[in-house]
């Protein structure tokens, strides 16, 4: 089998033809300038809120700049295409990150300026960089069959990533990301630094949201769908450079139908960006290895830095890049330092833009403890192969995983004498060993193994085809491959695309038939990308009485309920029960018997949400399918609530009592009063503090002690700047005397009992109000 490269670099001669082509490529950027201006005007002044604005923002931010970058980049057409699109995604992220440090938020004119600079940068590169005056050819050209095959694979990838994506509501981390994006747009300078991951997944939806004025789930995910689709041609481009076109096509096909690839292309999360930018960093590192161009090394460092801005997973390709640089130094050792230094400066500057303030921020300690203690674990080595296997064979069919492992093993044998052997082995071995032997709780991070696995599987498949001695053997092998591929495609379609039923949340009843597994129960935690709709788009129009409560995560309801007052205590006026909530908050169904069922929401005719209220009502049933919900940033950013009465008391420089709300200022013995406190964290809090609320005048006449928000929001989970609504119900003793009754509040350490001290008075209790007690006995 011939695994050597099938292309080389040629440049046009010094003729008028080269000058003509260079002129056309340079002027193409100028010709697009009026289009950019027109789109900006339409966005700001003409187009109505909604899909029209979001489509224009998508074109302005991601498509037009990619067209210009494709004219500047060097390499075969496929490399230029994915490289240009990758740069068009990365450049506005860096610009927006820089702008986020300027006080005052990110107004529309700032984002419009970022979009303009995103366009002008490649235009300037075309004008000043002599690389634009060269044309790199690929010989031999792609055959018609190969071109059609790649087009078919790309179309299949589009279908699997787009069908029914609008059905899916936000889940888990998606809600967190969109709230942080709204905070950043509103001027919260800590929004990005509070995130325990890189800022990319926040900044990418932030850009079209700020430009368009409002956004829904589909357009929030639009750029992630785009990036997830681009990964497929990126796999093909890397496979073509490392091996050959046949292996590249098989790898692209296998990756296009991979469960992780499909799932993460359909959500607002970082994984698709990590995969795309790390693949591009490898493509340009390989180009540097073979051609020695410093620009290619700078591009590799830029894409690696972008991947690290998305998530720490990107560091797993660093050994491959390091090896390729070392391999180049063996060819041209004299110039290597001069080429490495600019790449380190560019990549380091991009990383420093975020990670220097991030590491200096107090919240970084939470991230470190989470990664080291919760995910990696306390042991030097872990044995996570069973967890990796279960996650891999849940997101994909067991047939698919076995096929990949078999073909990849064959591929490893086939490349034993190939020039890209060490790079390919490092690409696979680094994430595989890390997540099977080092990380105790790998969860879906095993997605990092599959790009290398599919590449080697592509090599293995083409090798087996080449050694088949007869047409019958080839036909049998092809038939087996297509049968496994078809079954695997059916599995991912049922799990991620089909929504009738939602199989992941009803696995026991609806697990796909004829797909055996080695486990009885699927993974329970860290699952993303599966379709689910409970009817939350309809809920805001049905809930009038506040505060509300729900069994659904606050991270999700914050978006749909537009930050309406929510409680986890018995003082709710409305309770929303969502069916099949993934990380369900505990609640007592019997407690709802004293409330009235007011609304039943259905999805495809199946009841998925029940809304209870304190007032009797005629039950209405409504269908959620077909409803859309758009949100402006100001609706999603957490409001600065501080209660009816503001007090602003600092406790131990850890947190503040901002204020409180009382439903009455008079009580009778035996009555219960609801007191709502509003706390704000000043810095990360390592301990869990209990809140005490006392009716005390020298004797205790009523009290309630407990963790904030009925133990749902312990202080160790508070983020700096976060405001927590904390409700307490206190019953006045039956034999309480008449007269003034002080209301005292504070916090104490649950373990030691030590109270936090008011920084201004030195007291360990806050006297916030006095109740007037009537109908009680005389004071002694």
């Amino acid at each position: 089998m011939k695994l050597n490269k099938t292309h080389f670099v040629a440049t046009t001669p010094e003729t008028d033809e080269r000058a003509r082509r260079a002129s056309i490529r340079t002027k193409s950027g100028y010709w697009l300038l009026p289009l950019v201006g027109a789109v900006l005007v339409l966005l700001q002044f003409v187009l109505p809120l909604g899909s029209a604005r979001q489509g224009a923002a998508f074109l302005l931010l991601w498509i037009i700049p990619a067209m210009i970058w494709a004219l500047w980049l060097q390499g075969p057409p496929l490399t230029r295409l994915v490289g240009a699109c990758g740069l068009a995604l990365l450049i506005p992220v860096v610009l927006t990150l820089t702008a986020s440090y300027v006080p005052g938020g990110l107004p529309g004119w700032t984002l419009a300026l970022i979009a303009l600079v995103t366009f002008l940068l490649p235009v300037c590169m075309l004008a000043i960089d002599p690389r634009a005056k060269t044309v790199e050819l690929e010989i031999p050209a792609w055959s018609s069959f190969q071109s059609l095959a790649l087009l078919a694979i790309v179309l299949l990838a589009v279908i699997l990533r787009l069908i029914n994506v609008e059905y899916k509501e936000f889940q888990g981390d998606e809600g967190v990301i969109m709230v942080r994006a709204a905070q950043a747009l509103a001027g919260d300078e800590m929004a990005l630094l509070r995130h325990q991951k890189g800022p990319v997944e926040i900044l990418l939806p932030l850009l079209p949201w700020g430009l368009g004025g409002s956004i829904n789930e589909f357009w929030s995910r639009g750029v992630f769908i785009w990036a997830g689709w681009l990964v497929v041609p990126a796999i093909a481009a890397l496979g073509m450079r490392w091996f050959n076109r046949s292996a590249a096509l098989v790898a692209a096909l296998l990756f296009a139908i991979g469960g992780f690839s499909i799932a993460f292309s359909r959500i607002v999360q970082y994984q698709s960006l990590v995969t795309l930018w790390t693949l591009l960093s490898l493509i340009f590192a390989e180009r540097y290895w073979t051609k020695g161009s410093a620009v290619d090394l700078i591009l590799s460092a830029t894409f690696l830095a972008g991947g690290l801005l998305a998530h720490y997973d990107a560091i797993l390709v660093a050994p491959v890049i390091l090896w390729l640089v070392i391999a180049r130094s063996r060819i041209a050792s004299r110039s290597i330092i001069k080429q490495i230094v600019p790449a380190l400066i560019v990549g380091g500057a991009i990383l420093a833009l975020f990670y220097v303030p991030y590491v200096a921020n107090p919240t970084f300690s939470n991230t470190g403890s989470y990664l080291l203690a919760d995910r990696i674990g306390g042991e030097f080595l872990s044995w996570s192969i069973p967890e990796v296997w279960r996650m891999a064979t849940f997101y994909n069919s067991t047939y698919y995983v076995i096929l990949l492992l078999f073909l990849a093993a064959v591929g490893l044998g086939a490349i034993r004498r190939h020039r890209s052997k060490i790079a390919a082995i490092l690409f696979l071995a680094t994430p595989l060993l890390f997540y099977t032997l080092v990380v105790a709780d790998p969860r879906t991070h095993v997605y990092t193994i599959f790009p290398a696995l599919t590449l080697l599987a592509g090599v293995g498949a083409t090798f087996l085809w080449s050694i088949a001695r007869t047409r019958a053997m080839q036909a049998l092998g092809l038939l087996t491959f297509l049968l496994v591929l078809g079954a695997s495609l059916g599995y991912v379609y049922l799990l991620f695309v089909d929504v009738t039923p939602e199989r992941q949340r009803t696995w026991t009843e609806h697990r796909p038939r004829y797909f055996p597994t080695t486990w009885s129960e699927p993974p329970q935690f860290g699952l993303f990308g599966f379709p689910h709709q409970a009817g939350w788009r309809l809920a805001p129009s049905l809930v009038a009485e506040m505060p509300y409560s729900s069994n659904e995560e606050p991270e999700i309801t914050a978006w749909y309920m537009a930050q309406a007052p929510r409680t986890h205590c018995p003082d709710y006026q409305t309770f929303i029960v969502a069916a099949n909530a993934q990380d369900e908050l505990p609640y007592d169904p019997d407690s709802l018997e004293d409330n009235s069922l007011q609304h039943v929401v259905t999805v495809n005719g199946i009841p998925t949400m029940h809304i209870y209220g304190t007032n009797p009502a005629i039950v209405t049933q409504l269908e959620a399918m077909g409803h859309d919900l758009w949100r402006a940033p100001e609706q999603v950013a957490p409001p600065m609530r501080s209660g009816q009465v503001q007090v602003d008391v600092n406790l131990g420089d850890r947190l503040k009592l901002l204020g409180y709300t009382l439903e009455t200022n008079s009580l009778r013995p035996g009555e219960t009063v609801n007191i709502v406190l509003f706390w704000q964290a000043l810095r990360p809090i390592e301990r869990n503090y209990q809140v005490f609320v006392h009716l005390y005048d020298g004797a205790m006449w009523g009290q309630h002690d407990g963790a904030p928000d009925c133990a749902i929001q312990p202080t160790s989970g508070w983020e700096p700047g976060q405001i927590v609504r904390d409700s307490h119900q206190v019953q006045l003793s039956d034999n309480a005397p008449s007269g003034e009754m002080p209301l005292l509040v504070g916090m104490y350490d649950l373990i030691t009992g030590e109270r936090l001290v008011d920084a201004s008075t030195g007291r360990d209790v806050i006297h916030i109000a006095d109740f007037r007690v009537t109908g009680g006995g005389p004071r002694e």
Side-chain angles (χ1 to χ4, degrees):
M1 179 185 66
K2 185 177 180 181
L3 288 172
N4 294 327
K5 294 182 182 309
T6 58
H7 66 272
F8 65 86
V9 175
T11 58
T12 56
E14 294 290 332
T15 61
D16 291 340
E17 178 63 18
R18 190 182 78 166
R20 188 184 69 83
R21 291 188 181 186
S23 176
I24 291 174
R25 292 174 66 178
T26 303
K27 290 179 180 179
S28 296
Y30 304 148
W31 295 341
L32 286 170
L33 185 57
L35 175 60
V36 171
V39 173
L40 279 171
V41 171
L42 289 172
L43 265 173
Q44 296 298 316
F45 305 109
V46 179
L47 292 176
L49 294 175
S51 291
R53 278 202 182 190
Q54 286 299 317
F58 194 94
L59 181 70
L60 180 67
L61 290 166
W62 322 124
I63 303 302
I64 296 177
M67 295 167 62
I68 311 301
W69 282 117
L71 297 175
W72 175 76
L73 284 174
Q74 296 294 291
L78 191 58
T79 298
R80 294 207 314 272
L81 168 67
V82 292
C85 292
L87 279 174
L89 288 168
L90 180 54
I91 297 300
V93 164
V94 175
L95 294 174
T96 310
L97 178 59
T98 305
S100 70
Y101 295 120
V102 178
L106 293 166
W109 68 265
T110 300
L111 298 178
L113 181 61
I114 289 171
L116 185 60
V117 174
T118 301
F119 165 77
L120 291 176
L121 184 59
V123 172
C124 293
M125 295 300 292
L126 272 174
I128 65 176
D129 190 348
R131 284 161 50 93
K133 297 182 176 64
T134 63
V135 178
E136 186 172 320
L137 303 177
E138 185 178 5
I139 300 175
W142 284 66
S143 69
S144 298
F145 173 78
Q146 289 172 332
S147 299
L148 289 174
L150 181 60
L151 178 61
I153 293 168
V154 165
L155 289 176
L156 176 63
V158 171
I159 291 170
L160 291 174
R161 284 149 183 79
L162 274 179
I163 292 180
N164 286 335
V165 73
E166 76 286 347
Y167 170 89
K168 183 175 176 293
E169 292 174 345
F170 280 146
Q171 297 168 26
D173 287 0
E174 291 183 289
V176 174
I177 291 165
M178 296 309 294
V179 168
R180 296 204 194 282
Q183 290 173 313
L185 284 168
D188 185 346
E189 299 175 8
M190 293 289 292
L192 300 179
L193 300 178
R194 282 195 294 264
H195 207 46
Q196 288 190 338
K197 293 172 279 189
V200 165
E201 62 185 7
I202 299 172
L203 295 172
L204 281 174
L206 176 153
L207 278 160
W209 196 5
L211 282 171
S214 64
I215 205 166
N216 64 358
E217 299 106 312
F218 175 82
W219 284 107
S220 299
R221 296 175 178 133
V223 66
F224 298 91
I225 298 170
W226 174 240
W229 171 80
L230 286 171
V231 172
V232 176
I235 284 280
L238 182 59
M240 184 180 68
R241 296 203 62 85
W242 276 5
F243 305 116
N244 58 48
R245 290 199 189 93
S246 298
L249 288 172
V250 175
L253 175 59
L254 290 170
F255 196 84
I257 66 168
F260 290 113
S261 173
I262 295 169
F264 294 138
S265 298
R266 299 167 69 93
I267 60 173
V268 180
Q269 270 198 333
Y270 60 86
Q271 291 90 345
S272 293
L273 279 306
V274 170
T275 307
L276 174 64
W277 286 334
T278 53
L279 286 171
L280 288 170
S281 72
L282 292 177
I283 289 171
F284 285 96
E286 194 276 345
R287 282 179 55 82
Y288 171 72
W289 174 34
T290 57
K291 305 177 187 305
S293 169
V295 175
D296 286 328
L297 187 58
I298 291 172
L299 287 170
S300 178
T302 300
F303 284 123
L304 178 60
L308 287 168
L309 285 182
H311 196 273
Y312 326 113
D313 280 341
I315 197 64
L316 296 173
V317 302
V320 189
I321 297 172
L322 180 61
W323 165 253
L324 292 172
V325 173
I326 292 173
R328 179 64 195 179
S329 70
R330 296 174 180 174
I331 301 172
S333 58
R334 293 184 178 181
S335 61
I336 194 74
I337 300 299
K338 293 181 179 180
Q339 294 172 331
I340 289 177
V341 170
L344 289 176
I345 291 174
V346 173
I350 293 173
L351 290 176
L353 191 60
F354 173 71
Y355 282 105
V356 168
Y358 183 54
V359 172
N361 192 275
T363 59
F364 178 71
S365 59
N366 293 339
T367 303
S369 61
Y370 167 74
L371 293 175
L372 295 176
D374 298 345
R375 303 309 297 274
I376 293 179
E379 301 293 332
F380 176 70
L381 288 177
S382 301
W383 182 255
S384 302
I385 290 178
E387 288 77 14
V388 170
W389 172 260
R390 184 163 68 150
M391 190 66 75
T393 53
F394 181 55
Y395 270 79
N396 304 277
S397 72
T398 305
Y399 307 132
Y400 175 86
V401 177
I402 292 175
L403 175 68
L404 276 190
L405 292 174
F406 169 71
L407 292 178
V410 174
L412 283 171
I415 65 170
R416 63 186 182 277
R417 295 181 180 177
H418 193 269
R419 65 194 300 269
S420 299
K421 172 184 67 175
I422 295 179
I425 291 174
L426 284 173
F427 190 28
L428 174 64
T430 306
L432 181 63
L433 294 177
F434 184 68
Y435 281 114
T436 56
L437 299 181
V438 178
V439 177
D441 187 14
R443 300 194 184 184
T444 54
H445 292 272
V446 299
Y447 78 94
T448 55
I449 302 170
F450 280 78
L453 203 60
T454 52
L455 277 173
L456 289 169
V459 175
T462 55
F463 177 77
L464 291 175
W465 178 267
S466 69
I467 64 172
R469 297 183 178 179
T470 65
R471 289 178 179 263
M473 291 178 62
Q474 289 181 334
L476 179 61
L478 180 61
L479 179 61
T480 304
F481 179 77
L482 292 177
L483 285 175
V484 175
L485 219 62
S488 303
L489 178 59
Y491 180 87
V492 294
Y493 181 87
L494 291 174
L495 236 63
F496 301 108
V497 181
D498 183 35
V499 298
T500 53
E502 300 171 0
R503 288 174 173 80
Q504 180 256 325
R505 303 208 183 192
T506 59
W507 183 259
T508 302
E509 301 88 351
H510 299 113
R511 64 180 298 169
R513 299 177 63 186
Y514 311 116
F515 290 95
T517 62
T518 58
W519 37 265
S520 56
E521 292 293 329
Q524 299 298 311
F525 304 105
L527 302 178
F528 307 100
F530 298 92
H532 176 66
Q533 185 178 160
W536 280 107
R537 296 168 189 146
L538 200 56
S541 63
L542 303 177
V543 176
E545 299 296 326
M546 297 294 174
Y548 77 97
S549 187
S550 177
N551 64 327
E552 187 58 273
E553 295 178 275
E555 292 86 351
I556 295 173
T557 62
W559 165 274
Y560 290 102
M561 300 300 292
Q563 296 287 358
R566 172 171 176 161
T567 183
H568 299 96
C569 298
D571 62 327
Y572 61 81
Q573 298 298 306
T574 304
F575 198 99
I576 307 172
V577 180
N580 296 320
Q582 183 160 289
D583 295 318
E584 184 176 33
L585 295 184
Y587 76 102
D588 182 9
D590 294 337
S591 66
L592 298 177
E593 292 180 357
D594 296 332
N595 296 274
S596 299
L597 178 62
Q598 297 179 339
H599 307 286
V600 176
V601 178
T602 62
V603 176
N604 288 324
I606 300 173
T608 56
M609 180 177 288
H610 294 79
I611 301 177
Y612 296 84
T614 55
N615 299 317
I618 299 175
V619 179
T620 61
Q621 181 168 311
L622 302 101
E623 173 62 41
M625 285 294 290
H627 283 266
D628 201 2
L629 184 67
W630 292 74
R631 286 287 182 230
E634 56 270 21
Q635 293 177 292
V636 180
M640 294 294 292
R641 296 191 179 100
S642 58
Q644 293 176 345
V645 181
Q646 298 183 12
V647 295
D648 198 34
V649 175
N650 183 321
L651 289 180
D653 290 327
R654 292 176 174 85
L655 50 86
K656 276 186 178 182
L657 176 63
L658 296 178
Y660 64 92
T661 295
L662 298 177
E663 58 187 16
T664 182
N665 59 4
S666 63
L667 284 175
R668 297 180 65 83
E671 288 184 339
T672 299
V673 63
N674 191 64
I675 302 153
V676 182
L677 307 174
F678 292 86
W679 306 96
Q680 184 178 39
L682 300 178
R683 59 184 177 87
I685 303 172
E686 298 177 355
R687 295 177 177 271
N688 283 321
Y689 290 94
Q690 297 286 97
V691 178
F692 66 84
V693 180
H694 294 170
L695 297 174
Y696 183 81
D697 64 354
M700 187 70 70
W701 300 107
Q703 72 177 100
H704 183 268
D705 289 25
D709 201 13
C710 292
I712 294 298
Q713 300 197 67
T715 57
S716 60
W718 292 7
E719 297 178 341
Q722 179 184 355
I723 296 176
V724 176
R725 183 188 186 276
D726 178 30
S727 178
H728 296 266
Q729 292 184 321
V730 181
Q731 184 178 21
L732 183 64
S733 174
D734 291 335
N735 57 353
S738 296
E740 297 296 315
M741 180 65 67
L743 175 62
L744 310 178
V745 303
M747 278 196 181
Y748 62 91
D749 189 310
L750 182 62
I751 305 299
T752 66
E754 181 181 0
R755 291 184 176 183
L756 292 178
V757 175
D758 183 339
S760 61
T761 66
R763 299 184 62 192
D764 60 5
V765 63
I766 308 170
H767 183 181
I768 62 172
D770 291 292
F771 285 105
R772 183 166 52 85
V773 179
T774 60
R779 288 186 176 273
E780 297 181 0

